[in-house]
Amino acid sequence: MTPRTRDADASRAALMRAASKAFAAAGFSGARTQQIADAAGVNKAMIKYHFGGKQELYSAVVLDHIVRGQQSIVESIPGDDATPPERLDAFLQAMGRCVEEQPDFVPIIMREQMDGARYLEPEVRERFFG
């Protein structure tokens, strides 16, 4: 991997982290791209370069950063061979780990529920809200 590629990967990851915190704190409409870029330590133009814009950055945060992280935790729940109390206990433990490892998940999803999920892409909306 070339240094330029590592820098691009680092910039993208920094934007994802900063955006996750901004969206959790202020919601989609309250989060400012300049503040996200400043928190990530990159130029604001990098949001457009890496993601296409604020909406696409938000989608990336929800899909890549939160949904897939949560999915890997939830997949650790035992299968049908476990008793219902064992499965419930495993689920609650997995959700606790999810909240601990992805602290921005709950505020982002709660804001979306209050806003009628209008900022979520249809694929994500369907996944969370059926």
Side-chain angles (χ1 to χ4, degrees):
M1 192 178 295
T2 66
R4 186 177 198 106
T5 302
R6 279 195 301 268
D7 290 345
D9 291 344
S11 293
R12 190 178 202 293
L15 282 166
M16 293 280 284
R17 285 189 302 274
S20 181
K21 292 190 182 323
F23 292 134
F28 178 82
S29 60
R32 301 289 174 248
T33 54
Q34 186 63 57
Q35 291 171 328
I36 292 168
D38 291 347
V42 301
N43 185 296
K44 182 177 162 181
M46 291 295 100
I47 293 172
K48 184 166 179 68
Y49 175 78
H50 287 292
F51 299 97
K54 183 179 175 182
Q55 178 65 57
E56 294 84 359
L57 174 58
Y58 185 70
S59 295
V61 166
V62 173
L63 285 172
D64 297 330
H65 185 65
I66 295 175
V67 173
R68 290 189 182 138
Q70 180 192 19
Q71 182 178 353
S72 68
I73 293 169
V74 173
E75 286 173 354
S76 69
I77 297 169
D80 292 335
D81 56 332
T83 67
E86 290 171 338
R87 290 181 57 132
L88 178 60
D89 184 58
F91 174 77
L92 293 173
Q93 287 182 28
M95 289 307 296
R97 282 192 309 275
C98 177
V99 169
E100 186 175 283
E101 294 172 11
Q102 300 284 340
D104 300 329
F105 171 75
V106 172
I108 289 172
I109 295 306
M110 292 301 292
R111 284 180 181 281
E112 280 300 321
Q113 285 179 322
M114 290 185 293
D115 286 340
R118 66 179 168 191
Y119 299 113
L120 290 177
E121 296 291 325
E123 168 189 344
V124 179
R125 187 178 312 121
E126 178 65 27
R127 182 178 187 142
F128 280 105
F129 304 112

